[in-house]
Amino acid sequence: MWNAEVLKSLVAVTCLCQMMQSHSRLYPPHTVARHQVPRACSECEEEALWVIMCASVKYNIRGPALIPRMKTKHRIYYITLFSIVLLGLIATGMFQFWPHSIESSSDWSVQKRSIRDVPVVRLPADSPVPERGDLSCRMHTCFDVYRCGFNPKNKIKVYIYSLKKYVDDAGVPVSSTISQEYNELLTAVSDSDYYTEDITRACLFIPSIDLLNQNTLRVKETAQALAQLSRWDRGTNHLLFNMLPGGPPDYNTALDVPRDRALLAGGGFSTWTYRQGYDVSIPVYSPLSAEVDLPEKGPGPRRYFLLSSQMALHPEYREELAALQARHGEATLVLDKCTNLSEGIPAARKRCHKHQVFDYPQVLQEATFCVVLRGARLGQAVLSDVLRAGCVPVIIADSYILPFSEVLDWKRVSVAVPEEKMPHVYSILQSIPQRQIEEMQRQKWGSVSNPLFLPLIPPQSQGFTAIVLTYDRVESLFRVITEVSKVPSLSKLLVVWNNQNKNPPEDSLWPKIRVPLKVVRTAENKLSNRFFPYDEIETEAVLAIDDDIIMLTSDELQFGYEVWREFPDRLVGYPGRLHLWDHEMSKWKYESEWTNEVSMVLTGAAFYHKYFNYLYTYKMPGDIKNWVDAHMNCEDIAMNFLVANVTGKAVIKVTPRKKFKCPECTAIDGLSLDQTHMVERSECINKFASVFGTMPLKVVEHRADPVLYKDDFPEKLKSFPNIGSL
């Protein structure tokens, strides 16, 4: 199990990350980490933990009839787990139209009852059984968003069914007593501000039927019990939790209990059973490291280069690990179950190599890399132990869906090795530069103070930062600055001076504007400089604009910003372009003709989230960034590829204007007027598609225009009256 700091950070990052990736309602993690929160934020830990726990200050017993509350050391884990899963579900799309703020509610309490008092429900043998599970389910097909409408307190509401004891016709219980772990999870939910006792107000429903460990379940009868729930309705909007799926001999990678359309937060999904954007992959809980206070260990070489600590591995894996140790000697340590322990020593806390005994999980801190092999189940609790110990996981489990893999970049903290390459794992790890290894060792997600209560739409008051890339067109640059400064939501203007042979104008010559104006001089003349994550960018929104785009009005720019606020994971821009497949040449072609279809918006005038500056600068695939700088072309196409590949969504063109040429600019002044420009643009598209391995751009026939902008109404009734024509 992760410690409190890691859990708090994980909640924050998961909340922010998945919001950014799946719908665009929250701020992304790298942005927060780089611009708002240091990696080690000890001063805000107490506040962050308070928010994540979502508990009231007053100690109340709230929620349905549960087992009497137990004070365990694992409570934070379940509180955090529910927070992550709930926020993950929010992100996947079910609350796309939720209000802009989430308020606190007053405390209230419900009289708790002993488990002995719960009603008994008899399940006839012929009780209905839900369908096995709809693998085609996605948020837009199987989730009822209309149950999640507005309510007086603007809150996401979760209902927990009252605890009941289900028995078959013979009076035999369907499942064993509810586990301590599941009780803690339900208690965390009922203590949160999301909980409601009014089933008619609920958006999500959680059964009080413990499904965490399939080994304890009677599969058919448990499914019949689910079907008896009053709001089951084929499992719509029901959230089930399971950490140990499947059973012998097949060990399915998802819960075998028929569940129809219910969402599943499960540990051990494979690519065959995981419904992307619908289910949530969660870590398998490990109690072993929860009670051990492991000291923090800094990055650097450790006693063992590679360590394996898992017991009961398949004999073939055990043989390959033994062969690795034989070849690499003391640099590799392969541990197994201890067979020579004295009576009274807990075997779970020890690992052995021959006759040498090691404390577990403490021994994990002595290794640089720790093997995480698949067992009978794909999901393994050792992954949590390894992360807790600060060892870099080497994950050898084909098709395994890592916990929260849709929102966490596991490549930053782990190494994935195909099972067939297990004999070569040592040489693969040796090829990783030491600097990269140390970066993985020190990787910690930064904490934020309030992840559960961030606004669902970036605040209007924050505004945007305009970034103007310029070389030496000073007169045109000043006109752009003057026009952009008229936009009400402009917060700051940043000029990127890309000319190393000429100094920027003196301070006294620059236009006097109402917002801060900062000039950044670059070391080299590169087009990619416009997308660098400058520290001066303090807003979420960025307007990239060329120094010759002087025709856009303040109304057009303000409207573009308002559209971006609704879709902050998209490129929202003005000049639209299209890519086409040339059947004769069998390659992609760049098209700039006036067409109603668009697949790109040029970043000569476009809004986007500053997170994409980070991705462009540090995470651009292959040699694309260097290729752009070498050719002095196509940085805008590269950004379109990047955003489309990350989000899977199309660009948004705003306002009808299609002509953006600078009247005073000549062919000598502008890159885009060079005769080879269009040919290179087509080459760019083919080059980038080859590097990405796919064509991520989406073609749409769509444009966002202000309400009433063409209607015959008085100008004073229009919010954006000054919108340019074609």
Side-chain angles (χ1 to χ4, degrees), residues 490-532:
L490 178 68
S491 176
K492 180 183 291 187
L493 203 149
L494 192 64
V495 175
V496 179
W497 189 265
N498 226 17
N499 189 341
Q500 291 75 44
N501 300 318
K502 182 179 180 180
N503 293 327
E506 296 179 3
D507 293 346
S508 60
L509 300 178
W510 289 84
K512 302 299 185 291
I513 60 177
R514 60 178 179 82
V515 299
L517 189 155
K518 176 69 180 294
V519 179
V520 176
R521 300 190 65 178
T522 60
E524 295 181 71
N525 181 18
K526 296 180 178 180
L527 289 180
S528 295
N529 289 335
R530 78 183 317 157
F531 297 134
F532 187 81

Side-chain angles (χ1 to χ4, degrees), residues 302 307 364-365 367-370 386-393 413:
R302 299 182 182 177
L307 183 146
L364 298 175
Q365 290 197 306
T368 301
F369 294 100
C370 293
V386 168
L387 290 171
R388 171 74 173 84
C391 187
V392 179
V413 295

